[in-house]
Amino acid sequence: MIALLLIIIFILISIILFQYKAKKERSKNLKYIETKLNKIIRENTNEKLLVVTEDTELRELLVAVNSLLDFSQKVLADYKKKEISMSKMLSNISHDLKTPLTVVLGYIETIKLDKNISIEEREILLSKVHNKALEVIELINKFFHLVKLESGDKEIPITRVNMNEVCRKSILEFYENLTLKGYEVNIEIPEVNIYASGNLEALERIMNNLISNAIKYGIDGKYIGLNLSYDDKFSYVEIWDKGKGIDEINVEKVFGRMYTLEDSRNKLYQGSGLGLTITKRLVEKLGGEIFLKSQPHEKTSFTFKLKRITY
């Protein structure tokens, strides 16, 4: 009986000691987690919590905390990226606004100070002032349009759209200008009507931006193409040119805020860098995707796809 009692006491003491050791180990690990978390937050590092333990609940906690850290670090990285991008955009917009306004002031001073200026010369300068003012207004409108898109303030209702009509109407608006400039135009639109999930106003803006871009930067090739195609799930619109193209290193940057194509295509052209960013945002708002492929002097194409509607 005494031996049995001693065995029971030994077992109980062993359990107590085991629980004490486990509690002490857990307290140590929790203290480490607290200290490490504070360090990660304070120093804003990308570290993770690493603890070797047999405690199942503690392991599950560590997995959850590390997942939260991953999410937090991603959000912070995205925020910093947007902050840098926005800062660059504001800087470039300031520069793009300052340039035409400086020119406008120069013209006005000439008109004001030159007492011998002829009526004809005055009219020419006033016309230039008017054009520069329109440039400023266009840039401001683009900027506010992008801000509305990214803030979610601009609602874009989705409807069933006839893509054949959208493509025909868009290219026809540029056709006279293209022929006058000596461009060869290649249009491939199927006879069968293709319907997609979209928005007429947004699609007109997308097409206008892409065709204008192809004309502006593809002038060396004097060629522009528009292809409409489809499969079981999507409709595809491709707009392409035979210009200088875009370097592979710059392809991923093209849709970024305020990125301009001067470095990769033609130094003679200036732009606000907002057009393609707005285009990408609009395509995404319609639930689609846009892609760029470029082979200099052969084919530089922008293709966007939208969900096809078959009824």
Side-chain angles (χ1 to χ4, degrees):
M1 178 65 74
I2 294 174
L4 180 60
L5 185 60
L6 289 173
I7 292 172
I8 294 172
I9 292 172
F10 176 77
I11 293 172
L12 289 173
I13 291 172
S14 298
I15 292 172
I16 292 170
L17 288 172
F18 176 78
Q19 289 178 337
Y20 172 77
K21 184 179 179 182
K23 183 179 179 181
K24 187 176 180 181
E25 185 67 22
R26 173 176 281 197
S27 296
K28 178 183 174 183
N29 288 333
L30 288 173
K31 185 62 179 177
Y32 162 79
I33 292 172
E34 179 191 5
T35 304
K36 192 70 173 179
L37 272 176
N38 287 330
K39 181 176 181 292
I40 291 171
I41 294 170
R42 184 175 62 255
E43 298 179 3
N44 190 27
T45 66
N46 293 326
E47 295 179 79
K48 298 292 183 293
L49 298 177
L50 300 174
V51 177
V52 179
T53 178
E54 297 297 324
D55 190 328
T56 303
E57 293 179 349
L58 192 58
R59 285 207 305 267
E60 291 175 355
L61 175 63
L62 286 167
V63 170
V65 171
N66 282 330
S67 296
L68 185 60
L69 285 172
D70 281 335
F71 177 75
S72 175
Q73 288 157 5
K74 183 179 182 301
V75 169
L76 186 60
D78 289 343
Y79 172 77
K80 286 184 176 179
K81 185 178 178 181
K82 287 182 179 179
E83 189 176 38
I84 293 170
S85 178
M86 186 63 70
S87 177
K88 181 181 177 182
M89 181 172 69
L90 290 173
S91 174
N92 287 345
I93 283 180
S94 298
H95 176 270
D96 285 348
L97 286 173
K98 183 179 178 181
T99 302
L101 288 175
T102 302
V103 173
V104 166
L105 286 174
Y107 290 149
I108 293 174
E109 285 178 5
T110 301
I111 294 170
K112 184 178 178 181
L113 298 175
D114 190 349
K115 304 300 181 182
N116 299 319
I117 190 170
S118 67
I119 295 176
E120 183 180 351
E121 289 173 328
R122 183 187 297 271
E123 289 300 319
I124 291 173
L125 289 177
L126 286 174
S127 176
K128 290 180 178 179
V129 168
H130 180 257
N131 290 335
K132 287 297 177 182
L134 290 178
E135 284 182 23
V136 173
I137 291 172
E138 183 184 4
L139 177 59
I140 292 172
N141 287 336
K142 282 183 177 181
F143 174 68
F144 281 114
H145 188 70
L146 178 59
V147 170
K148 284 184 177 180
L149 280 173
E150 297 202 332
S151 66
D153 289 342
K154 186 174 179 64
E155 292 186 10
I156 301 180
I158 305 297
T159 60
R160 180 173 176 264
V161 178
N162 186 321
M163 295 302 295
N164 304 60
E165 292 301 318
V166 169
C167 290
R168 290 192 191 101
K169 181 181 177 182
S170 296
I171 197 66
L172 280 174
E173 289 181 358
F174 289 90
Y175 200 82
E176 184 177 353
N177 185 34
L178 285 166
T179 52
L180 285 173
K181 289 184 176 181
Y183 275 77
E184 181 181 347
V185 183
N186 184 312
I187 304 172
E188 295 183 17
I189 300 176
E191 293 185 7
V192 59
N193 284 326
I194 303 168
Y195 295 94
S197 177
N199 175 279
L200 275 176
E201 181 185 350
L203 281 168
E204 287 173 2
R205 185 71 179 267
I206 291 166
M207 296 292 291
N208 183 285
N209 286 346
L210 292 178
I211 295 172
S212 297
N213 184 76
I215 294 172
K216 184 176 181 180
Y217 294 104
I219 192 169
D220 293 335
K222 291 287 184 178
Y223 192 102
I224 186 170
L226 188 156
N227 302 333
L228 174 63
S229 59
Y230 65 96
D231 57 27
D232 292 339
K233 293 183 178 181
F234 300 98
S235 69
Y236 303 87
V237 178
E238 179 187 31
I239 296 169
W240 54 284
D241 63 72
K242 291 184 178 180
K244 287 191 173 183
I246 301 169
D247 297 334
E248 186 177 350
I249 192 172
N250 291 311
V251 167
E252 294 298 323
K253 303 176 184 177
V254 165
F255 296 106
R257 294 186 194 91
M258 300 309 296
Y259 177 80
T260 55
L261 302 183
E262 289 79 51
D263 292 337
S264 54
R265 302 189 87 167
N266 197 320
K267 295 283 185 183
L268 296 175
Y269 304 113
Q270 300 297 320
S272 67
L274 291 174
L276 290 176
T277 305
I278 290 172
T279 298
K280 186 173 189 292
R281 299 294 185 271
L282 285 172
V283 170
E284 291 171 346
K285 286 282 186 180
L286 299 179
E289 295 180 76
I290 187 166
F291 311 95
L292 165 63
K293 292 183 179 180
S294 182
Q295 292 181 313
H297 301 293
E298 291 185 25
K299 186 175 184 180
T300 294
S301 69
F302 288 86
T303 304
F304 68 91
K305 71 174 186 179
L306 297 174
K307 186 178 179 182
R308 189 179 169 213
I309 297 177
T310 55
Y311 55 85

